[in-house]
Amino acid sequence: MADLPAVVGFVGLGRMGGPMSRRLAAAGITVRGHDAVPRPELSDVLTLVDSAAEAGQAPVVILMLPDSSVVESVVRGGLLAAMAPGSVLVDMSSSEPLRTRALAEEVAAHGAVLIDAPVSGGVKGAVAGTLTVMAGGPDDVVGRLEPLLSLFGRVRHVGPVGAGHALKALNNLMSAAHLLASSEALLAGERFGLDPAVMLDAVNGSSGRSGSTENKWPNFVLPGTYDSGFALTLMLKDIRIALGLAEATGAPSALTARTVELWAEAAEALGPGADHTEIVRWLRG
């Protein structure tokens, strides 16, 4: 397609980045992919390179990394120096919005542009191309990249640089609070003698429904798999970012603060490898 770049760099080929990079390759794009962990399973569709700097030798470079600290380390560790003036860096990680804005200034000083475009929809959405992409950056740059980002799902331009990362954190705050509230209610009903599947069927046609009742409980909690693909520690990181935003702006945050406390307790009890849906196991005690 004429409106897609011929070559894209992609750094971070894990649970989300792997299937997302495959979607780019399926659209006919040459993907120069790099990950700190070798990903030989992607060698059939990507051009795997040995460093982020090599991936940076493309007009568009996408990052799908754990947090702002890793993003900054990669960008300052050789990636930015390898990028040509006029190229675009797309941070699709769940980063901290104020740090994103500061990094955007560094990238601009090099002659390139940074936009943030975090996603929601999990591994399933990454595979199917049904993610929601929350893009922050200049109108012209986001508009130019929309055909590329649309390969991942539904694109929404939510504001200037940093806006995407802010909204992603706030979205995950709502998701985390929903899961806690839904789970406490469903566990109370279960102990009363109600069938969880029957409760979910009723609630999902009623005002109490949420992504937790429509997706997380039916697909990951009731089957006992707890394998949504999104780590509990990453959820905690995102909702801490949201709490920081609320406190910095003076917004009400009593429920947010308590939500963070409960998720932190769960993270400590369940350990670093826990899926975020396992918070239900922790609530069961």
Side-chain angles (χ1 to χ4, degrees):
M1 295 176 62
D3 48 7
L4 294 176
V7 182
V8 169
F10 204 115
V11 181
L13 303 173
R15 286 180 172 179
M16 293 293 291
M20 290 170 68
S21 62
R22 283 186 178 275
R23 292 196 63 81
L24 299 183
I29 298 169
T30 297
V31 181
R32 297 174 59 84
H34 173 73
D35 196 282
V37 177
R39 304 289 182 182
E41 70 277 9
L42 294 171
S43 62
D44 59 330
V45 291
L46 307 187
T47 301
L48 297 177
V49 295
D50 294 330
S51 69
E54 290 181 77
Q57 297 168 14
V60 178
V61 183
I62 294 173
L63 305 180
M64 180 53 83
L65 299 167
D67 55 41
S68 284
S69 294
V70 178
V71 168
E72 290 166 356
S73 176
V74 168
V75 172
R76 295 168 181 162
L79 173 61
L80 182 57
M83 293 181 67
S87 53
V88 181
L89 182 61
V90 185
D91 184 8
M92 304 193 77
S93 320
S94 294
S95 301
E96 299 173 42
L98 293 178
R99 292 172 73 173
T100 297
R101 287 182 175 176
L103 188 62
E105 292 181 1
E106 291 183 41
V107 173
H110 182 75
V113 179
L114 183 147
I115 71 168
D116 52 317
V119 299
S120 181
V123 175
K124 183 177 179 181
V127 172
T130 56
L131 297 170
T132 294
V133 181
M134 307 172 201
D139 292 350
D140 59 332
V141 179
V142 174
R144 176 158 45 94
L145 290 184
E146 186 166 351
L148 174 69
L149 297 177
S150 294
L151 295 174
F152 304 129
R154 185 180 68 133
V155 181
R156 292 294 181 268
H157 186 192
V158 298
V161 66
H165 284 149
L167 184 54
K168 171 63 185 293
L170 296 170
N171 174 79
N172 278 11
L173 167 62
M174 289 185 270
S175 177
H178 293 164
L179 184 54
L180 275 177
S182 299
S183 298
E184 287 188 354
L186 290 163
L187 292 175
E190 189 176 65
R191 293 187 183 189
F192 182 74
L194 296 171
D195 183 330
V198 172
M199 284 190 284
L200 288 168
D201 181 63
V203 167
N204 285 335
S206 305
S207 59
R209 68 185 181 275
S210 69
S212 298
T213 62
E214 294 178 332
N215 176 34
K216 296 176 186 182
W217 262 78
N219 293 322
F220 309 116
V221 178
L222 287 188
T225 55
Y226 300 102
D227 59 351
S228 75
F230 185 58
L232 193 152
T233 52
L234 292 179
M235 178 67 89
L236 178 58
K237 177 206 64 162
D238 288 350
I239 64 177
R240 280 176 167 157
I241 294 172
L243 176 59
L245 282 173
E247 291 175 340
T249 58
S253 58
L255 179 58
T256 299
R258 184 57 181 147
T259 299
V260 170
E261 289 174 0
L262 289 169
W263 278 87
E265 290 176 24
E268 183 176 357
L270 294 170
D275 188 89
H276 83 286
T277 57
E278 291 186 72
I279 197 169
V280 182
R281 296 170 65 176
W282 175 76
L283 287 171
R284 279 200 168 108

